[in-house]
Amino acid sequence: MCLGVPGRIVAIEDEQRKLGVIECAGVRRIVSLHMVAEPDQALADLVGTWALIHVGFAMSTIDEDEAHRTLALLAELGEMAEMAEMAEMGAEARGEPGGGAT
Amino acid sequence: MKHVDEFRDKALCQGLVARVASLVPQVQRKLGRAATAPIKIMEVCGGHTHAIFKYGLEGMLPETLELVHGPGCPVCVLPVGRVDDAISVAEQPGVIFATFGDALRVPGSERSLLQCKARGADIRVVYSPTDALALALAEPARQVVFFGLGFETTAPATALVVLDAHARGVPNFSVLSNHVTIMPTLQALLAAPELALDGFIGPGHVSMVIGTEPYEPVARDHHKPLVVAGFEPADVLQATVMVLEQLAAGKARVANQYQRVVRAAGNPRAQAVLAEVFEPRETFEWRGLGWIPRSGLRLRPAYAAYDAERRFAVANLSLPDHQACQCGEVLKGAIKPWQCKVFGTACTPDTPIGACMVSSEGSCAAYYNYGRLSTVRRLKERREVTP
Ligand code: SF4
């Protein structure tokens, strides 16, 4: 129900009614941009922006920098865990008691 | 697909799973739990439940971490009485009843909307409330009723369509509102003494509307960490790590894993249309959870003309669940779906007895469709040995 999909705003369909065209996995669809349109901003400025689409409405813009940051953090976490695992395997190989994950 | 595939990366997820595995014993020690006593984290939102099963996360995580599936699936919490109310409206002559597909098979006391459609009612599945308004414009001689369902994620869309109908003066459009809000429900859960949870994964898409601030009481008053999360597997796993890290450090804060979509203050425009059109009901019934104060939304008097409850004198029925139904316990996380006596036998997605088996976000349907039997069996055995 609360499902949302990311789509890119590719065109403005109706400036007055705040309708835009989004492309989502190759499919184009008309959605309302009302909830993501800044009151003092031209709707056209949104073209090229990614947004989270829910039941025909763009509900939030996607912050690409934040997306990159999250991914970088995720990758780092993964590496950390991997290193901890390797350290543990090394310790085991040397016959020392394993640390951490029991 | 961009903003999706990156967060499904296998290696990334494996790294996170390893991190979870190393954190759980630390948390157990910090909380003074036995090494066999599981840490319990509730994912509030049905979208997360769906992701957890679809990607088999439960099977990847250590057995000492239990994900408790919460009540955040609006279809699953729709009570029998409201389904009957919907049917009574849908069966009136001249009505076109427009609904999201998810709601079609939710059992009422005698039948579901789908069965009501088979008996001749004009029930149409729509993808958006906008489609329902378009139907009203195309069929001026008919009454079009939109079945408003969903949390704060969906309610602003319904609200905006009501405003649109009002601006255009569409006389034959109305909304049967079953919209609900998340915080009163979370509060009710936290107040339930039998519930032993260590932390929460917060709903991502509700939060893109309401922001992260409304959750503060969870951390401040109940001392439970809550991390708002996205819906891809790496999102859910990272949020799990973030909850565990807080627990290991003895902290309880509201945090946001889903920064790319959720802002701390939410979406002010969506909040504004929501507040313009809707107001909280004194109380609202949830399937399995009973009546929760101020948890439901109805149209404000200024938009009474678009309120199907007034237009069709809806009875607001309150009816008991099916006798065999244990959805209430499942929704509270008190039992696992497969512990329900009718799970997978009398109750299946084709013949649901309870609503949790209907929606793809319901935990019973998720277990039924994705739960690898071996996992269910393993979990079952574990449960039976360590109650
Ligand atoms: S198996 Fe069916 S009746 Fe039992 S809790 Fe799940 S949905 Fe409800």
Side-chain angles (χ1 to χ4, degrees):
Chain A
M1 266 290 325
C2 286
L3 221 67
V5 286
R8 203 165 66 94
I9 300 165
V10 292
I12 302 305
E13 172 77 12
D14 183 333
E15 181 87 25
Q16 211 210 329
R17 298 189 53 221
K18 296 196 174 141
L19 298 177
V21 182
I22 58 117
E23 195 179 274
C24 182
V27 181
R28 287 185 174 215
R29 189 180 271 168
I30 293 175
V31 302
S32 166
L33 302 178
H34 189 280
M35 320 263 194
V36 293
E38 299 287 344
D40 48 0
Q41 185 191 32
L43 219 48
D45 291 356
L46 284 170
V47 172
T49 310
W50 284 81
L52 207 290
I53 315 297
H54 174 68
V55 300
F57 290 75
M59 293 302 297
S60 183
T61 52
I62 297 177
D63 185 329
E64 303 226 18
D65 295 339
E66 287 295 353
H68 289 308
R69 258 196 288 279
T70 304
L71 278 173
L73 195 72
L74 281 169
E76 214 172 281
L77 270 175
E79 270 163 35
M80 259 165 57
E82 223 166 84
M83 269 157 57
E85 216 168 290
M86 271 161 51
E88 210 169 290
M89 272 160 48
E92 259 166 48
R94 289 191 301 274
E96 297 161 13
T102 33
Chain B
M1 195 165 41
K2 194 173 156 159
H3 294 301
V4 170
D5 294 340
E6 312 91 290
F7 296 93
R8 291 184 186 169
D9 185 86
K10 240 202 178 119
L12 214 59
C13 290
Q14 276 162 353
L16 289 163
V17 167
R19 178 85 184 126
V20 170
S22 72
L23 276 165
V24 170
Q26 292 177 35
V27 174
Q28 285 173 318
R29 277 196 294 275
K30 179 82 188 175
L31 300 181
R33 300 266 171 87
T36 48
I39 302 302
K40 294 187 181 185
I41 298 177
M42 172 179 275
E43 88 277 1
V44 177
C45 174
H48 287 140
T49 307
H50 183 78
I52 286 163
F53 283 93
K54 187 167 169 203
Y55 299 102
L57 302 186
E58 201 166 41
M60 291 157 70
L61 293 169
E63 301 197 342
T64 41
L65 177 75
E66 192 177 313
L67 293 173
V68 180
H69 317 304
C73 159
V75 173
C76 304
V77 296
L78 199 61
V80 175
R82 295 302 289 183
V83 177
D84 282 18
D85 283 343
I87 288 171
S88 76
V89 172
E91 283 182 339
Q92 302 212 13
V95 164
I96 298 176
F97 196 82
T99 174
F100 295 131
D102 308 46
L104 276 183
R105 284 182 305 123
V106 182
S109 65
E110 278 166 24
R111 61 187 94 92
S112 64
L113 282 165
L114 191 63
Q115 287 159 331
C116 164
K117 183 176 159 79
R119 290 160 51 117
D122 192 351
I123 297 174
R124 318 256 182 112
V125 171
V126 290
Y127 156 78
S128 162
T130 316
D131 301 341
L133 183 57
L135 267 174
L137 290 164
E139 304 249 17
R142 308 279 301 274
Q143 282 290 335
V144 175
V145 182
F146 175 66
F147 198 25
L149 276 177
F151 283 91
E152 289 98 327
T153 320
T154 321
T158 305
L160 204 57
V161 169
V162 168
L163 290 174
D164 200 11
H166 188 59
R168 297 205 224 175
V170 185
N172 62 326
F173 175 78
S174 61
V175 171
L176 183 60
S177 171
N178 286 283
H179 286 298
V180 283
T181 50
I182 197 75
M183 264 323 281
T185 319
L186 260 185
Q187 295 275 26
L189 271 180
L190 283 161
E194 72 268 33
L195 201 79
L197 295 171
D198 298 304
F200 292 90
I201 295 179
H205 290 150
V206 167
S207 308
M208 76 184 164
V209 171
I210 68 172
T212 55
E213 279 146 23
Y215 303 113
E216 286 301 333
V218 178
R220 193 183 54 228
D221 305 337
H222 299 277
H223 314 290
K224 307 283 181 201
L226 182 146
V227 179
V228 168
F231 293 90
E232 299 307 327
D235 289 321
V236 178
L237 289 170
Q238 188 186 15
T240 309
V241 166
M242 289 167 77
V243 170
L244 291 171
E245 280 174 341
Q246 287 198 40
L247 289 171
K251 288 185 194 151
R253 298 226 173 99
V254 176
N256 181 8
Q257 180 278 333
Y258 203 25
Q259 304 256 8
R260 62 188 186 278
V261 168
V262 173
R263 327 275 181 258
N267 182 332
R269 273 170 300 278
Q271 290 165 16
V273 290
L274 191 66
E276 167 68 25
V277 174
F278 288 108
E279 64 183 10
R281 299 173 193 262
E282 286 74 49
T283 183
F284 195 64
E285 191 182 15
W286 293 59
R287 188 181 291 245
L289 304 179
W291 295 85
I292 302 178
R294 300 183 76 78
S295 64
L297 295 172
R298 67 165 168 242
L299 277 84
R300 286 189 187 277
Y303 299 98
Y306 304 95
D307 189 347
E309 270 173 51
R310 299 180 214 224
R311 187 170 292 184
F312 299 96
V314 168
N316 283 319
L317 296 169
S318 174
L319 299 167
D321 282 336
H322 187 286
Q323 272 181 353
C325 178
Q326 287 186 276
C327 293
E329 278 117 300
V330 167
L331 286 166
K332 279 186 239 164
I335 64 166
K336 290 280 175 184
W338 39 260
Q339 291 174 313
C340 172
K341 286 183 234 35
V342 290
F343 175 84
T345 51
C347 187
T348 67
D350 289 330
T351 55
I353 287 178
C356 305
M357 194 55 101
V358 174
S359 163
S360 63
E361 293 172 18
S363 37
C364 294
Y367 264 92
Y368 190 90
N369 290 325
Y370 295 111
R372 276 157 299 165
L373 270 180
S374 58
T375 316
V376 172
R377 212 172 293 134
R378 187 165 52 80
L379 290 166
K380 205 168 183 166
E381 280 163 10
R382 190 193 352 149
R383 261 301 163 100
E384 274 152 19
V385 183
T386 51

mmCIF file with all atom_site columns, all heavy atoms in Angstrom, chain B residues 85-106:
data_model
loop_
_atom_site.group_PDB
_atom_site.id
_atom_site.type_symbol
_atom_site.label_atom_id
_atom_site.label_alt_id
_atom_site.label_comp_id
_atom_site.label_asym_id
_atom_site.label_entity_id
_atom_site.label_seq_id
_atom_site.pdbx_PDB_ins_code
_atom_site.Cartn_x
_atom_site.Cartn_y
_atom_site.Cartn_z
_atom_site.occupancy
_atom_site.B_iso_or_equiv
_atom_site.pdbx_formal_charge
_atom_site.auth_seq_id
_atom_site.auth_comp_id
_atom_site.auth_asym_id
_atom_site.auth_atom_id
_atom_site.pdbx_PDB_model_num
ATOM 1   N N   . ASP B 1 85  ? -19.398 -1.863  5.636   1.00 0.00 ? 85  ASP B N   1
ATOM 2   C CA  . ASP B 1 85  ? -19.831 -0.504  5.283   1.00 0.00 ? 85  ASP B CA  1
ATOM 3   C C   . ASP B 1 85  ? -19.545 -0.226  3.807   1.00 0.00 ? 85  ASP B C   1
ATOM 4   O O   . ASP B 1 85  ? -20.388 0.310   3.086   1.00 0.00 ? 85  ASP B O   1
ATOM 5   C CB  . ASP B 1 85  ? -19.071 0.541   6.129   1.00 0.00 ? 85  ASP B CB  1
ATOM 6   C CG  . ASP B 1 85  ? -19.597 0.640   7.561   1.00 0.00 ? 85  ASP B CG  1
ATOM 7   O OD1 . ASP B 1 85  ? -20.728 0.167   7.815   1.00 0.00 ? 85  ASP B OD1 1
ATOM 8   O OD2 . ASP B 1 85  ? -18.882 1.193   8.412   1.00 0.00 ? 85  ASP B OD2 1
ATOM 9   N N   . ALA B 1 86  ? -18.341 -0.592  3.383   1.00 0.00 ? 86  ALA B N   1
ATOM 10  C CA  . ALA B 1 86  ? -17.946 -0.364  1.991   1.00 0.00 ? 86  ALA B CA  1
ATOM 11  C C   . ALA B 1 86  ? -18.881 -1.113  1.053   1.00 0.00 ? 86  ALA B C   1
ATOM 12  O O   . ALA B 1 86  ? -19.342 -0.585  0.037   1.00 0.00 ? 86  ALA B O   1
ATOM 13  C CB  . ALA B 1 86  ? -16.501 -0.808  1.775   1.00 0.00 ? 86  ALA B CB  1
ATOM 14  N N   . ILE B 1 87  ? -19.189 -2.363  1.424   1.00 0.00 ? 87  ILE B N   1
ATOM 15  C CA  . ILE B 1 87  ? -20.061 -3.180  0.586   1.00 0.00 ? 87  ILE B CA  1
ATOM 16  C C   . ILE B 1 87  ? -21.461 -2.563  0.513   1.00 0.00 ? 87  ILE B C   1
ATOM 17  O O   . ILE B 1 87  ? -22.075 -2.513  -0.555  1.00 0.00 ? 87  ILE B O   1
ATOM 18  C CB  . ILE B 1 87  ? -20.093 -4.636  1.110   1.00 0.00 ? 87  ILE B CB  1
ATOM 19  C CG1 . ILE B 1 87  ? -18.737 -5.299  0.792   1.00 0.00 ? 87  ILE B CG1 1
ATOM 20  C CG2 . ILE B 1 87  ? -21.247 -5.431  0.519   1.00 0.00 ? 87  ILE B CG2 1
ATOM 21  C CD1 . ILE B 1 87  ? -18.522 -6.654  1.413   1.00 0.00 ? 87  ILE B CD1 1
ATOM 22  N N   . SER B 1 88  ? -21.940 -2.041  1.653   1.00 0.00 ? 88  SER B N   1
ATOM 23  C CA  . SER B 1 88  ? -23.287 -1.456  1.647   1.00 0.00 ? 88  SER B CA  1
ATOM 24  C C   . SER B 1 88  ? -23.351 -0.246  0.712   1.00 0.00 ? 88  SER B C   1
ATOM 25  O O   . SER B 1 88  ? -24.367 -0.008  0.060   1.00 0.00 ? 88  SER B O   1
ATOM 26  C CB  . SER B 1 88  ? -23.725 -1.083  3.068   1.00 0.00 ? 88  SER B CB  1
ATOM 27  O OG  . SER B 1 88  ? -23.079 0.110   3.475   1.00 0.00 ? 88  SER B OG  1
ATOM 28  N N   . VAL B 1 89  ? -22.258 0.483   0.607   1.00 0.00 ? 89  VAL B N   1
ATOM 29  C CA  . VAL B 1 89  ? -22.228 1.620   -0.323  1.00 0.00 ? 89  VAL B CA  1
ATOM 30  C C   . VAL B 1 89  ? -22.111 1.109   -1.762  1.00 0.00 ? 89  VAL B C   1
ATOM 31  O O   . VAL B 1 89  ? -22.843 1.535   -2.656  1.00 0.00 ? 89  VAL B O   1
ATOM 32  C CB  . VAL B 1 89  ? -21.048 2.571   0.002   1.00 0.00 ? 89  VAL B CB  1
ATOM 33  C CG1 . VAL B 1 89  ? -20.898 3.634   -1.074  1.00 0.00 ? 89  VAL B CG1 1
ATOM 34  C CG2 . VAL B 1 89  ? -21.236 3.215   1.370   1.00 0.00 ? 89  VAL B CG2 1
ATOM 35  N N   . ALA B 1 90  ? -21.208 0.151   -1.968  1.00 0.00 ? 90  ALA B N   1
ATOM 36  C CA  . ALA B 1 90  ? -20.954 -0.353  -3.319  1.00 0.00 ? 90  ALA B CA  1
ATOM 37  C C   . ALA B 1 90  ? -22.205 -0.988  -3.928  1.00 0.00 ? 90  ALA B C   1
ATOM 38  O O   . ALA B 1 90  ? -22.389 -0.979  -5.150  1.00 0.00 ? 90  ALA B O   1
ATOM 39  C CB  . ALA B 1 90  ? -19.813 -1.359  -3.285  1.00 0.00 ? 90  ALA B CB  1
ATOM 40  N N   . GLU B 1 91  ? -23.072 -1.535  -3.067  1.00 0.00 ? 91  GLU B N   1
ATOM 41  C CA  . GLU B 1 91  ? -24.255 -2.233  -3.591  1.00 0.00 ? 91  GLU B CA  1
ATOM 42  C C   . GLU B 1 91  ? -25.441 -1.302  -3.863  1.00 0.00 ? 91  GLU B C   1
ATOM 43  O O   . GLU B 1 91  ? -26.464 -1.747  -4.359  1.00 0.00 ? 91  GLU B O   1
ATOM 44  C CB  . GLU B 1 91  ? -24.662 -3.347  -2.605  1.00 0.00 ? 91  GLU B CB  1
ATOM 45  C CG  . GLU B 1 91  ? -23.732 -4.553  -2.722  1.00 0.00 ? 91  GLU B CG  1
ATOM 46  C CD  . GLU B 1 91  ? -24.099 -5.712  -1.816  1.00 0.00 ? 91  GLU B CD  1
ATOM 47  O OE1 . GLU B 1 91  ? -24.818 -5.476  -0.815  1.00 0.00 ? 91  GLU B OE1 1
ATOM 48  O OE2 . GLU B 1 91  ? -23.653 -6.839  -2.107  1.00 0.00 ? 91  GLU B OE2 1
ATOM 49  N N   . GLN B 1 92  ? -25.284 -0.016  -3.532  1.00 0.00 ? 92  GLN B N   1
ATOM 50  C CA  . GLN B 1 92  ? -26.399 0.886   -3.814  1.00 0.00 ? 92  GLN B CA  1
ATOM 51  C C   . GLN B 1 92  ? -26.516 1.107   -5.315  1.00 0.00 ? 92  GLN B C   1
ATOM 52  O O   . GLN B 1 92  ? -25.514 1.206   -6.013  1.00 0.00 ? 92  GLN B O   1
ATOM 53  C CB  . GLN B 1 92  ? -26.159 2.227   -3.111  1.00 0.00 ? 92  GLN B CB  1
ATOM 54  C CG  . GLN B 1 92  ? -26.008 2.034   -1.624  1.00 0.00 ? 92  GLN B CG  1
ATOM 55  C CD  . GLN B 1 92  ? -26.518 3.216   -0.812  1.00 0.00 ? 92  GLN B CD  1
ATOM 56  O OE1 . GLN B 1 92  ? -27.200 4.086   -1.329  1.00 0.00 ? 92  GLN B OE1 1
ATOM 57  N NE2 . GLN B 1 92  ? -26.202 3.214   0.468   1.00 0.00 ? 92  GLN B NE2 1
ATOM 58  N N   . PRO B 1 93  ? -27.755 1.202   -5.803  1.00 0.00 ? 93  PRO B N   1
ATOM 59  C CA  . PRO B 1 93  ? -27.934 1.387   -7.243  1.00 0.00 ? 93  PRO B CA  1
ATOM 60  C C   . PRO B 1 93  ? -27.299 2.701   -7.716  1.00 0.00 ? 93  PRO B C   1
ATOM 61  O O   . PRO B 1 93  ? -27.370 3.713   -7.015  1.00 0.00 ? 93  PRO B O   1
ATOM 62  C CB  . PRO B 1 93  ? -29.462 1.412   -7.428  1.00 0.00 ? 93  PRO B CB  1
ATOM 63  C CG  . PRO B 1 93  ? -30.067 1.483   -6.066  1.00 0.00 ? 93  PRO B CG  1
ATOM 64  C CD  . PRO B 1 93  ? -29.025 1.082   -5.068  1.00 0.00 ? 93  PRO B CD  1
ATOM 65  N N   . GLY B 1 94  ? -26.651 2.631   -8.867  1.00 0.00 ? 94  GLY B N   1
ATOM 66  C CA  . GLY B 1 94  ? -26.075 3.847   -9.447  1.00 0.00 ? 94  GLY B CA  1
ATOM 67  C C   . GLY B 1 94  ? -24.678 4.171   -8.974  1.00 0.00 ? 94  GLY B C   1
ATOM 68  O O   . GLY B 1 94  ? -24.066 5.114   -9.465  1.00 0.00 ? 94  GLY B O   1
ATOM 69  N N   . VAL B 1 95  ? -24.164 3.391   -8.025  1.00 0.00 ? 95  VAL B N   1
ATOM 70  C CA  . VAL B 1 95  ? -22.831 3.692   -7.487  1.00 0.00 ? 95  VAL B CA  1
ATOM 71  C C   . VAL B 1 95  ? -21.734 2.980   -8.274  1.00 0.00 ? 95  VAL B C   1
ATOM 72  O O   . VAL B 1 95  ? -21.880 1.819   -8.645  1.00 0.00 ? 95  VAL B O   1
ATOM 73  C CB  . VAL B 1 95  ? -22.752 3.293   -5.990  1.00 0.00 ? 95  VAL B CB  1
ATOM 74  C CG1 . VAL B 1 95  ? -21.312 3.210   -5.510  1.00 0.00 ? 95  VAL B CG1 1
ATOM 75  C CG2 . VAL B 1 95  ? -23.538 4.283   -5.137  1.00 0.00 ? 95  VAL B CG2 1
ATOM 76  N N   . ILE B 1 96  ? -20.677 3.711   -8.544  1.00 0.00 ? 96  ILE B N   1
ATOM 77  C CA  . ILE B 1 96  ? -19.429 3.080   -8.997  1.00 0.00 ? 96  ILE B CA  1
ATOM 78  C C   . ILE B 1 96  ? -18.478 3.170   -7.815  1.00 0.00 ? 96  ILE B C   1
ATOM 79  O O   . ILE B 1 96  ? -18.224 4.268   -7.308  1.00 0.00 ? 96  ILE B O   1
ATOM 80  C CB  . ILE B 1 96  ? -18.811 3.816   -10.203 1.00 0.00 ? 96  ILE B CB  1
ATOM 81  C CG1 . ILE B 1 96  ? -19.752 3.771   -11.404 1.00 0.00 ? 96  ILE B CG1 1
ATOM 82  C CG2 . ILE B 1 96  ? -17.452 3.205   -10.566 1.00 0.00 ? 96  ILE B CG2 1
ATOM 83  C CD1 . ILE B 1 96  ? -19.240 4.565   -12.608 1.00 0.00 ? 96  ILE B CD1 1
ATOM 84  N N   . PHE B 1 97  ? -18.005 2.022   -7.353  1.00 0.00 ? 97  PHE B N   1
ATOM 85  C CA  . PHE B 1 97  ? -17.135 2.002   -6.178  1.00 0.00 ? 97  PHE B CA  1
ATOM 86  C C   . PHE B 1 97  ? -15.698 1.794   -6.641  1.00 0.00 ? 97  PHE B C   1
ATOM 87  O O   . PHE B 1 97  ? -15.361 0.758   -7.202  1.00 0.00 ? 97  PHE B O   1
ATOM 88  C CB  . PHE B 1 97  ? -17.589 0.887   -5.233  1.00 0.00 ? 97  PHE B CB  1
ATOM 89  C CG  . PHE B 1 97  ? -17.020 1.009   -3.846  1.00 0.00 ? 97  PHE B CG  1
ATOM 90  C CD1 . PHE B 1 97  ? -17.588 1.855   -2.919  1.00 0.00 ? 97  PHE B CD1 1
ATOM 91  C CD2 . PHE B 1 97  ? -15.905 0.271   -3.473  1.00 0.00 ? 97  PHE B CD2 1
ATOM 92  C CE1 . PHE B 1 97  ? -17.070 1.973   -1.629  1.00 0.00 ? 97  PHE B CE1 1
ATOM 93  C CE2 . PHE B 1 97  ? -15.375 0.382   -2.194  1.00 0.00 ? 97  PHE B CE2 1
ATOM 94  C CZ  . PHE B 1 97  ? -15.956 1.235   -1.270  1.00 0.00 ? 97  PHE B CZ  1
ATOM 95  N N   . ALA B 1 98  ? -14.863 2.786   -6.421  1.00 0.00 ? 98  ALA B N   1
ATOM 96  C CA  . ALA B 1 98  ? -13.482 2.725   -6.908  1.00 0.00 ? 98  ALA B CA  1
ATOM 97  C C   . ALA B 1 98  ? -12.535 2.422   -5.750  1.00 0.00 ? 98  ALA B C   1
ATOM 98  O O   . ALA B 1 98  ? -12.565 3.104   -4.721  1.00 0.00 ? 98  ALA B O   1
ATOM 99  C CB  . ALA B 1 98  ? -13.109 4.055   -7.554  1.00 0.00 ? 98  ALA B CB  1
ATOM 100 N N   . THR B 1 99  ? -11.717 1.413   -5.921  1.00 0.00 ? 99  THR B N   1
ATOM 101 C CA  . THR B 1 99  ? -10.825 1.008   -4.829  1.00 0.00 ? 99  THR B CA  1
ATOM 102 C C   . THR B 1 99  ? -9.472  0.551   -5.363  1.00 0.00 ? 99  THR B C   1
ATOM 103 O O   . THR B 1 99  ? -9.349  0.123   -6.504  1.00 0.00 ? 99  THR B O   1
ATOM 104 C CB  . THR B 1 99  ? -11.459 -0.130  -3.997  1.00 0.00 ? 99  THR B CB  1
ATOM 105 O OG1 . THR B 1 99  ? -10.504 -0.601  -3.031  1.00 0.00 ? 99  THR B OG1 1
ATOM 106 C CG2 . THR B 1 99  ? -11.856 -1.321  -4.864  1.00 0.00 ? 99  THR B CG2 1
ATOM 107 N N   . PHE B 1 100 ? -8.457  0.636   -4.486  1.00 0.00 ? 100 PHE B N   1
ATOM 108 C CA  . PHE B 1 100 ? -7.178  -0.008  -4.801  1.00 0.00 ? 100 PHE B CA  1
ATOM 109 C C   . PHE B 1 100 ? -7.426  -1.516  -4.819  1.00 0.00 ? 100 PHE B C   1
ATOM 110 O O   . PHE B 1 100 ? -8.243  -2.023  -4.035  1.00 0.00 ? 100 PHE B O   1
ATOM 111 C CB  . PHE B 1 100 ? -6.130  0.311   -3.729  1.00 0.00 ? 100 PHE B CB  1
ATOM 112 C CG  . PHE B 1 100 ? -5.744  1.762   -3.653  1.00 0.00 ? 100 PHE B CG  1
ATOM 113 C CD1 . PHE B 1 100 ? -5.718  2.436   -2.442  1.00 0.00 ? 100 PHE B CD1 1
ATOM 114 C CD2 . PHE B 1 100 ? -5.373  2.466   -4.798  1.00 0.00 ? 100 PHE B CD2 1
ATOM 115 C CE1 . PHE B 1 100 ? -5.350  3.771   -2.360  1.00 0.00 ? 100 PHE B CE1 1
ATOM 116 C CE2 . PHE B 1 100 ? -5.001  3.812   -4.726  1.00 0.00 ? 100 PHE B CE2 1
ATOM 117 C CZ  . PHE B 1 100 ? -4.998  4.466   -3.504  1.00 0.00 ? 100 PHE B CZ  1
ATOM 118 N N   . GLY B 1 101 ? -6.702  -2.201  -5.663  1.00 0.00 ? 101 GLY B N   1
ATOM 119 C CA  . GLY B 1 101 ? -6.890  -3.641  -5.793  1.00 0.00 ? 101 GLY B CA  1
ATOM 120 C C   . GLY B 1 101 ? -6.684  -4.420  -4.500  1.00 0.00 ? 101 GLY B C   1
ATOM 121 O O   . GLY B 1 101 ? -7.350  -5.422  -4.258  1.00 0.00 ? 101 GLY B O   1
ATOM 122 N N   . ASP B 1 102 ? -5.785  -3.919  -3.652  1.00 0.00 ? 102 ASP B N   1
ATOM 123 C CA  . ASP B 1 102 ? -5.443  -4.632  -2.402  1.00 0.00 ? 102 ASP B CA  1
ATOM 124 C C   . ASP B 1 102 ? -6.665  -4.938  -1.542  1.00 0.00 ? 102 ASP B C   1
ATOM 125 O O   . ASP B 1 102 ? -6.672  -5.904  -0.790  1.00 0.00 ? 102 ASP B O   1
ATOM 126 C CB  . ASP B 1 102 ? -4.520  -3.801  -1.505  1.00 0.00 ? 102 ASP B CB  1
ATOM 127 C CG  . ASP B 1 102 ? -3.295  -3.277  -2.203  1.00 0.00 ? 102 ASP B CG  1
ATOM 128 O OD1 . ASP B 1 102 ? -3.448  -2.747  -3.320  1.00 0.00 ? 102 ASP B OD1 1
ATOM 129 O OD2 . ASP B 1 102 ? -2.201  -3.391  -1.642  1.00 0.00 ? 102 ASP B OD2 1
ATOM 130 N N   . ALA B 1 103 ? -7.666  -4.041  -1.612  1.00 0.00 ? 103 ALA B N   1
ATOM 131 C CA  . ALA B 1 103 ? -8.782  -4.149  -0.672  1.00 0.00 ? 103 ALA B CA  1
ATOM 132 C C   . ALA B 1 103 ? -9.848  -5.137  -1.134  1.00 0.00 ? 103 ALA B C   1
ATOM 133 O O   . ALA B 1 103 ? -10.736 -5.500  -0.365  1.00 0.00 ? 103 ALA B O   1
ATOM 134 C CB  . ALA B 1 103 ? -9.414  -2.774  -0.464  1.00 0.00 ? 103 ALA B CB  1
ATOM 135 N N   . LEU B 1 104 ? -9.753  -5.582  -2.385  1.00 0.00 ? 104 LEU B N   1
ATOM 136 C CA  . LEU B 1 104 ? -10.842 -6.374  -2.959  1.00 0.00 ? 104 LEU B CA  1
ATOM 137 C C   . LEU B 1 104 ? -11.154 -7.647  -2.199  1.00 0.00 ? 104 LEU B C   1
ATOM 138 O O   . LEU B 1 104 ? -12.302 -8.036  -2.067  1.00 0.00 ? 104 LEU B O   1
ATOM 139 C CB  . LEU B 1 104 ? -10.481 -6.767  -4.398  1.00 0.00 ? 104 LEU B CB  1
ATOM 140 C CG  . LEU B 1 104 ? -10.775 -5.747  -5.491  1.00 0.00 ? 104 LEU B CG  1
ATOM 141 C CD1 . LEU B 1 104 ? -10.430 -6.337  -6.837  1.00 0.00 ? 104 LEU B CD1 1
ATOM 142 C CD2 . LEU B 1 104 ? -12.228 -5.302  -5.457  1.00 0.00 ? 104 LEU B CD2 1
ATOM 143 N N   . ARG B 1 105 ? -10.119 -8.329  -1.731  1.00 0.00 ? 105 ARG B N   1
ATOM 144 C CA  . ARG B 1 105 ? -10.354 -9.657  -1.157  1.00 0.00 ? 105 ARG B CA  1
ATOM 145 C C   . ARG B 1 105 ? -10.413 -9.686  0.372   1.00 0.00 ? 105 ARG B C   1
ATOM 146 O O   . ARG B 1 105 ? -10.465 -10.745 0.973   1.00 0.00 ? 105 ARG B O   1
ATOM 147 C CB  . ARG B 1 105 ? -9.324  -10.643 -1.707  1.00 0.00 ? 105 ARG B CB  1
ATOM 148 C CG  . ARG B 1 105 ? -9.685  -11.041 -3.151  1.00 0.00 ? 105 ARG B CG  1
ATOM 149 C CD  . ARG B 1 105 ? -8.767  -12.050 -3.773  1.00 0.00 ? 105 ARG B CD  1
ATOM 150 N NE  . ARG B 1 105 ? -7.398  -11.600 -3.708  1.00 0.00 ? 105 ARG B NE  1
ATOM 151 C CZ  . ARG B 1 105 ? -6.429  -12.283 -3.125  1.00 0.00 ? 105 ARG B CZ  1
ATOM 152 N NH1 . ARG B 1 105 ? -6.686  -13.453 -2.597  1.00 0.00 ? 105 ARG B NH1 1
ATOM 153 N NH2 . ARG B 1 105 ? -5.209  -11.814 -3.103  1.00 0.00 ? 105 ARG B NH2 1
ATOM 154 N N   . VAL B 1 106 ? -10.398 -8.502  0.976   1.00 0.00 ? 106 VAL B N   1
ATOM 155 C CA  . VAL B 1 106 ? -10.499 -8.476  2.446   1.00 0.00 ? 106 VAL B CA  1
ATOM 156 C C   . VAL B 1 106 ? -11.879 -8.984  2.857   1.00 0.00 ? 106 VAL B C   1
ATOM 157 O O   . VAL B 1 106 ? -12.891 -8.456  2.414   1.00 0.00 ? 106 VAL B O   1
ATOM 158 C CB  . VAL B 1 106 ? -10.306 -7.049  3.002   1.00 0.00 ? 106 VAL B CB  1
ATOM 159 C CG1 . VAL B 1 106 ? -10.377 -7.061  4.521   1.00 0.00 ? 106 VAL B CG1 1
ATOM 160 C CG2 . VAL B 1 106 ? -8.986  -6.476  2.537   1.00 0.00 ? 106 VAL B CG2 1
#
